[in-house]
Structures are given as C-alpha cells and as structure tokens.
Amino acid sequence: MGDVSSRLADILPDMRIWQQSLRSLPGIVPSFYEWMRFDGNDFVERTFQNETGMYQMWNREGSDFSRMTLFYEAETDTWLQGDWYGLRFLALHYSDRLLIAHYDSKTARLAIPFSQRWPELYERALVLASGFLPTYHKTEQNLWLIYENIAPNLAEKLTKKLYINCEEGFSCA
C-alpha cells in the first residue's frame, strides 16, 4: 500500500493549486444571510466584513435553518466549497498560524495536531501508507493524530505541498 500512497503524493497539487480546484459558488449575497466566522478554534457570530476565512451561513428568512460552511477568499471575492477539514485548514493557513507536524524516523510515525487536520485528499495518502486510520494521542498541550508506517519521503512531500513546518521527533510514551 505504501507505494500507492507515494504515487498519490507525487500527483497531489500543492495547497494553492488544490484551493483553486475547489468548487466555487458564485452569486452569494452576504446581506441575505446570518454569519459565523471561524476564529481558529470555534465559530463566532459576526457580520460579514469581506475577510478571508471559513464561515457558516444560514438563511435569514423562511424555514431553511440548514447551515452551509464555506471558505471566502477576499482577494478574488470567491466563495469555495470543500471538505470541512480542508476548509478549516485553509482558514488556519490564511490566519498565519504556524502549521506543524512531527515526524519520528525511528518509528515511521507522523503526528499532526488534531486542530490542524489536513484536507481529506492529503490525509488519504497517509492512510494508504499503512492501511489504517490514525490513532489519537493526548498530551498536556494538544490532541494529536498519529499516522503509522509513513516513509520519510512521503512525510516530506506532503508537508511541503501543504506548507507545513515538519520537525523531527515525537514521543507517544
């Protein structure tokens, strides 16, 4: 399975090209909706102010109470639709937060903060490497996703494509 994950990593685009491939939703009129903006930890109510980020929106009128989660890119005035973790990852990237991962070459484990979970497409390459979903590990500071059987070149390819600072070493003890 590891070879398939490496081949997938080779053909995956970097984050900016992946972002451009997300479905664009034209014609959204912000004044027609109620808004909550993702602040890096949670959604907070606020009026829409043309700021890049992840938003939840719902209809002001009528009986449609369903919420939709989208990513707004202010520079291009574009609304994007994608997987929830992918949109959250974009929001964290644009908020200038340091995106991190830890790789332990002795155990071939890659640790990613749960709060920085990768877009599904990129996570798929990690899962293909071992055939298993990640396990969870809690430390005093964070909850981590631990991916097993990750070759060093796979970890390097994916973290570079997602602009992640990857550090050596992580102990699950």
Side-chain angles (χ1 to χ4, degrees):
M1 285 190 235
D3 188 48
V4 172
S5 64
S6 182
R7 285 188 281 157
L8 176 58
D10 286 339
I11 63 172
L12 286 173
D14 76 1
M15 187 182 64
R16 295 197 193 285
I17 295 171
W18 168 76
Q19 179 183 343
Q20 293 170 0
S21 76
L22 294 176
R23 182 174 176 223
S24 174
L25 296 177
I28 292 178
V29 180
S31 61
F32 290 174
Y33 301 96
E34 298 289 334
W35 295 96
M36 293 179 86
R37 186 172 192 269
F38 184 68
D39 69 0
N41 296 312
D42 205 355
F43 285 94
V44 292
E45 280 195 51
R46 65 182 301 173
T47 58
F48 179 72
Q49 298 173 357
N50 292 13
E51 296 174 278
T52 296
M54 185 166 93
Y55 292 86
Q56 285 187 339
M57 61 181 271
W58 64 98
N59 198 347
R60 281 184 188 225
E61 300 173 8
S63 61
D64 182 10
F65 294 108
S66 62
R67 292 178 190 249
M68 186 186 288
T69 302
L70 301 170
F71 182 82
Y72 178 73
E73 185 180 18
E75 185 177 307
T76 60
D77 191 26
T78 306
W79 290 99
L80 301 173
Q81 188 176 36
D83 70 278
W84 197 91
Y85 291 115
L87 298 181
R88 180 178 71 172
F89 191 86
L90 280 176
L92 293 172
H93 171 75
Y94 278 93
S95 71
D96 293 327
R97 288 186 183 220
L98 179 63
L99 300 174
I100 62 168
H102 291 275
Y103 183 73
D104 186 341
S105 57
K106 293 177 187 155
T107 61
R109 288 181 176 157
L110 182 68
I112 299 169
F114 180 79
S115 62
Q116 296 181 9
R117 190 172 197 149
W118 294 1
E120 288 178 4
L121 187 59
Y122 297 86
E123 185 181 45
R124 187 173 298 153
L126 297 175
V127 172
L128 281 171
S130 67
F132 295 105
L133 293 173
T135 58
Y136 297 87
H137 178 75
K138 187 163 179 55
T139 64
E140 287 183 24
Q141 297 87 14
N142 222 333
L143 178 62
W144 296 85
L145 296 167
I146 309 296
Y147 296 88
E148 304 285 341
N149 196 32
I150 306 300
N153 64 334
L154 178 62
E156 182 181 4
K157 284 179 201 175
L158 292 174
T159 55
K160 282 185 176 180
K161 288 184 178 200
L162 293 172
Y163 310 113
I164 294 171
N165 182 28
C166 188
E167 298 174 5
E168 172 64 35
F170 184 82
S171 174
C172 289

